[in-house]
Amino acid sequence: QVQLVESGGGLVQAGGSLRLSCVAAGRTDSSYSMGWFRQTPGRDREFVAGISPDGETILYSVAVRGRFTISRDGAKNTVYLQMNSLKPEDTAVYYCTQARSPSTIVVPQTASTLDYWGQGTQVTVSS
């Protein structure tokens, strides 16, 4: 059974930074691509960033490219999301996810195709 536990959310002023962490357990986690999505009330969960098992392939949404950095530490089974230059529109619950199959290079950008999610961590950016 896959378990994903996020941490690091909080309240920050616009222009500030936060780093989210997600610890994965239950499979050989370094073999699976991982990613971050976010969701606000009344809206679909949207893709933020994804990273391949070896960390060599990384994708970002247009909204966060240049401000957010995804990384992973295979030894710790942990994926990170460094968020800089935060904006009020970044306010959301952020979710960690892991691909179904080890053959998936980067997690799909459609939330409905993913099975494994953490409980989410709230990020609030004040103006």
Side-chain angles (χ1 to χ4, degrees):
Q1 184 175 355
V2 176
Q3 291 182 313
L4 303 170
V5 179
E6 303 100 335
S7 62
L11 173 63
V12 64
Q13 288 188 330
S17 299
L18 284 173
R19 188 175 83 152
L20 306 183
S21 300
C22 172
V23 179
R27 300 193 288 186
T28 305
D29 302 281
S30 60
S31 300
Y32 294 85
S33 61
M34 297 189 70
W36 291 93
F37 282 67
R38 66 188 183 186
Q39 189 170 26
T40 53
R43 301 190 65 177
D44 292 337
R45 198 167 291 188
E46 66 171 357
F47 173 81
V48 174
I51 187 167
S52 60
D54 62 5
E56 293 293 319
T57 302
I58 291 174
L59 294 176
Y60 296 101
S61 70
V62 172
V64 308
R65 192 174 300 147
R67 300 186 297 121
F68 291 11
T69 302
I70 189 172
S71 62
R72 67 189 300 164
D73 183 334
K76 296 181 179 180
N77 292 329
T78 301
V79 63
Y80 303 97
L81 186 68
Q82 177 66 44
M83 306 185 294
N84 298 330
S85 302
L86 282 161
K87 304 175 181 180
E89 51 263 45
D90 294 317
T91 296
V93 178
Y94 284 71
Y95 295 91
C96 174
T97 187
Q98 189 178 74
R100 292 172 177 170
S101 167
S103 63
T104 303
I105 300 302
V106 180
V107 294
Q109 297 184 35
T110 304
S112 61
T113 63
L114 292 156
D115 297 323
Y116 306 115
W117 298 95
Q119 82 286 354
T121 186
Q122 176 71 46
V123 171
T124 302
V125 184
S126 63
S127 57

